[in-house]
Amino acid sequence: MRKLCLLLGLLPATLAIAQKKSNPEKFAATITENDLRNHLYIVAGADMEGRETATEGQRKAAAYIEQHFKNLGLLPGNQGSYQMGFPVYRDSLIDSKFQVNGKTFTVNNDFQPFLQMTRPGGQYFSEAVFVGHGIVDSAYDDYGSMDVTGKLVLILDGSPEGFKTSKKGWRAPNGLYGKYLNAAKKGAAAVLLVAPGFPRKDAITTGNMYTNLFTAKVPASFYSISPDVAAAIIGKDWSGLVQAGKTGQVAAKIYPANTLIELNKSVQQLESSNVLGYIEGTDKKDEWLIVTAHYDHLGKKGDVIYYGADDDGSGTVGVLEIAEAFAKAKAAGMGPRRNVLFMTVSGEEKGLWGSEYFSGHPSIPIEKATADLNIDMIGRVDTERKLADTLNYVYVVGDDKLSTELKPISEAMNKKYIKMTLDYKFNDPNDLNQIYFRSDHYNFAKVGVPVIFYYDGMLQADYHKPTDTPDKINYTLLRKRAQLVFYTAWEMANRNDQIKRDLPIPTMTR
């Protein structure tokens, strides 16, 4: 009896060793070009209307993904549900008023509010602070020593001739949003950006979507204004400031002007969701591996659909097929030792919303997540890439950032099974595109989860355009990349120890 108990006690360990040594190739082979194509023509089809966050098209895509997870026998990943909803807000303009020294200006003709950044109510200032182009960069600060806490700040559009920065993207210091962020950080109560194109024919009645309705403090209001409004605030100095700002830095200065700004809007609450399903592990079911992609895209503009076949339909169908491969392994008695959570998130195109919500409201113990393997665009070829291996590569980002164990595993799996070029071009800390911070893996990395991000590069012709369609996908390359992620996931789900977290968490500096 004692010997039998001893043998039974050794059985889980024996099974684990058998699982570890089992051959994953027959399951990887179930990830086929035909299945990927069939999924993608649905996910990136006209019926999904571009899958914009918090729209009917996005909900249709979520339902399709959920049904696939159910068909595979995956367990619901969010406390009994396959979806994790999160709130999204959108504003509608009711009316807005703008006066300078008693002179009234009209919305769209002279000014426009950025609705998602501006709270309803009135603001009344007796002066404004002109800060040139409002640029704050290393060794360059248009604010100088000027304190703008609680003040009205006026900023020129663009940048002076000759201004250069290594920073790119939506947070760049000479970009619209970068300027707003820097003004807000310095304590501005309201920001006026002098912009071209007034009067504007298209009335702004509905703002962009956003998620941060509830904040610890009221954010700075944000308006674009015409040069005529700016001249009314600044007075006789205005034309000289514009001229001086074309070629150089202009000193910050306070100008007296009684400025009244009022906004009345309605706030509509919408909802978007992540779709989650998991395969339960065997002897390490208290630990998790996460495989992610974002399934949202840009939706429709008028009657024009932005299909998003590569961005990120390719990653989404990759997750569907990898989940199926694991499900078939489980059915064959060779399921993973750890739980494997398959999650497609929404809101990525809006600002990584879905993954950010999950990292703040995780449905699993995040400290028990061994890694996140994130897939965002793996179906095309980088139009800037001119190397001989153009049809046999994938860009890999983040594998050396939080753990010394990730990169060796990734490279070993590639060498053993796929043998494609793992290109680290976008993994360089000095990468001007800052890709590491621009997809959903970042929201896992910032809470300490080791990550690998798989990416196909810069598609200049079709990126974020209606022409990103399923017929342009290289399905052979898509299959190989998805299989690489599967093999890497297989190893991570079955290895003895959870991935070490032995490197510091990188922070965004740009």
Side-chain angles (χ1 to χ4, degrees):
M1 186 69 175
R2 183 178 179 184
K3 183 180 289 186
L4 178 60
C5 289
L6 180 62
L7 289 172
L8 289 174
L10 290 173
L11 187 58
T14 304
L15 286 174
I17 292 171
Q19 285 175 319
K20 187 70 167 59
K21 292 183 178 180
S22 62
N23 186 354
E25 290 182 276
K26 64 180 180 180
F27 305 113
T30 68
I31 301 172
T32 68
E33 293 172 29
N34 190 54
D35 286 349
L36 289 163
R37 182 183 291 105
N38 289 340
H39 282 306
L40 190 56
Y41 268 86
I42 295 172
V43 170
D47 192 48
M48 302 299 181
E49 299 182 326
R51 312 183 304 280
E52 184 179 10
T53 296
T55 67
E56 183 60 26
Q58 174 253 302
R59 287 186 283 275
K60 287 181 181 179
Y64 179 80
I65 296 165
E66 177 178 348
Q67 189 59 54
H68 180 72
F69 285 171
K70 287 179 177 178
N71 292 344
L72 296 178
L74 269 61
L75 298 172
N78 182 37
Q79 301 177 358
S81 174
Y82 287 92
Q83 295 201 35
M84 171 183 278
F86 58 90
V88 173
Y89 304 96
R90 184 170 227 167
D91 301 332
S92 294
L93 178 65
I94 297 174
D95 58 66
S96 186
K97 186 176 181 181
F98 203 114
Q99 285 185 351
V100 179
N101 295 325
K103 181 178 180 180
T104 299
F105 294 92
T106 57
V107 69
N108 299 314
N109 189 66
D110 301 299
F111 73 97
Q112 285 182 341
F114 291 89
L115 288 178
Q116 68 273 22
M117 299 175 194
T118 306
R119 301 301 165 101
Q123 294 175 291
Y124 311 93
F125 302 95
S126 63
E127 59 187 27
V129 184
F130 176 73
V131 292
H133 288 91
I135 295 172
V136 179
D137 199 9
S138 55
Y140 192 106
D141 189 343
D142 275 330
Y143 291 80
S145 60
M146 181 67 70
D147 180 9
V148 297
T149 304
K151 294 183 179 295
L152 175 64
V153 170
L154 191 150
I155 296 173
L156 292 173
D157 188 35
S159 57
E161 294 176 10
F163 174 79
K164 294 182 180 179
T165 179
S166 61
K167 301 171 185 178
K168 293 185 177 181
W170 57 294
R171 290 176 177 263
N174 56 340
L176 179 149
Y177 193 57
K179 293 181 179 187
Y180 170 77
L181 287 177
N182 283 320
K185 285 178 183 178
K186 288 181 177 289
V191 181
L192 306 179
L193 180 75
V194 186
F198 285 99
R200 296 177 177 175
K201 294 181 180 179
D202 296 330
I204 301 299
T205 58
T206 304
N208 293 329
M209 297 178 192
Y210 61 100
T211 58
N212 59 336
L213 177 65
F214 298 95
T215 57
K217 60 181 181 180
V218 176
S221 300
F222 194 19
Y223 293 79
S224 60
I225 62 172
S226 70
D228 287 344
V229 178
I233 294 172
I234 300 299
K236 60 182 178 62
D237 289 350
W238 173 242
S239 59
L241 292 174
V242 172
Q243 193 61 34
K246 290 180 179 179
T247 56
Q249 195 169 11
V250 181
K253 185 177 178 180
I254 296 174
Y255 289 88
N258 289 336
T259 304
L260 175 156
I261 311 173
E262 295 179 350
L263 178 72
N264 186 13
K265 67 177 183 178
S266 63
V267 179
Q268 179 185 11
Q269 181 168 335
L270 309 172
E271 185 177 80
S272 191
S273 66
N274 303 325
V275 189
L276 311 80
Y278 77 98
I279 291 178
E280 187 175 41
T282 54
D283 61 315
K284 291 186 174 291
K285 62 181 64 178
D286 63 325
E287 297 179 8
W288 296 79
L289 172 68
I290 308 170
V291 182
T292 55
H294 75 89
Y295 71 98
D296 67 295
H297 194 57
L298 304 182
K300 295 173 62 177
K301 295 182 181 178
D303 294 328
V304 178
I305 298 173
Y306 287 66
Y307 293 92
D310 193 36
D311 185 14
D312 183 31
S314 62
T316 298
V317 301
V319 170
L320 300 186
E321 280 293 282
I322 294 166
E324 184 169 338
F326 269 99
K328 289 180 176 179
K330 176 86 169 179
M334 289 182 281
R337 298 177 69 186
R338 289 174 179 81
N339 302 322
V340 183
L341 178 69
F342 300 95
M343 178 165 57
T344 59
V345 301
S346 64
E348 191 273 351
E349 299 288 4
K350 305 290 187 183
L352 314 185
W353 289 351
S355 56
E356 181 177 46
Y357 187 84
F358 180 88
S359 68
H361 308 80
S363 61
I364 65 171
I366 206 72
E367 71 278 1
K368 289 292 188 177
T370 193
D372 169 55
L373 305 181
N374 184 48
I375 315 168
D376 190 349
M377 299 171 60
I378 56 166
R380 297 280 298 271
V381 172
D382 185 350
T383 52
E384 295 180 351
R385 189 181 180 85
K386 307 299 181 184
L387 302 177
D389 61 0
T390 296
L391 297 179
N392 193 44
Y393 80 96
V394 66
Y395 292 117
V396 176
V397 179
D399 64 348
D400 62 345
K401 297 289 191 289
L402 290 146
S403 174
T404 56
E405 294 182 327
L406 273 179
K407 188 170 185 176
I409 291 172
S410 171
E411 292 187 337
M413 293 303 99
N414 179 59
K415 183 177 180 181
K416 183 175 182 179
Y417 296 111
I418 299 296
K419 299 178 177 60
M420 71 167 55
T421 298
L422 303 184
D423 193 317
Y424 299 101
K425 171 183 176 181
F426 294 107
N427 198 47
D428 186 340
N430 296 316
D431 166 37
L432 297 181
N433 297 284
Q434 292 289 280
I435 294 297
Y436 178 74
F437 301 100
R438 287 174 52 187
S439 191
D440 293 297
H441 57 277
Y442 176 65
N443 282 321
F444 293 93
K446 74 181 184 182
V447 294
V449 179
V451 301
I452 301 179
F453 172 41
Y454 302 88
Y455 174 56
D456 59 20
M458 299 296 177
L459 310 176
Q460 301 296 342
D462 299 311
Y463 178 69
H464 281 190
K465 295 179 181 177
T467 49
D468 180 11
T469 50
D471 58 296
K472 295 181 179 177
I473 298 296
N474 183 320
Y475 288 95
T476 300
L477 196 49
L478 173 56
R479 171 186 56 78
K480 292 184 70 172
R481 289 164 172 165
Q483 287 177 340
L484 172 63
V485 180
F486 168 77
Y487 282 123
T488 307
W490 181 275
E491 175 64 22
M492 291 183 178
N494 289 303
R495 69 197 306 270
N496 286 330
D497 299 316
Q498 184 173 322
I499 296 291
K500 292 179 182 177
R501 302 183 180 189
D502 56 350
L503 295 174
I505 300 174
T507 56
M508 186 182 298
T509 59
R510 299 171 185 253

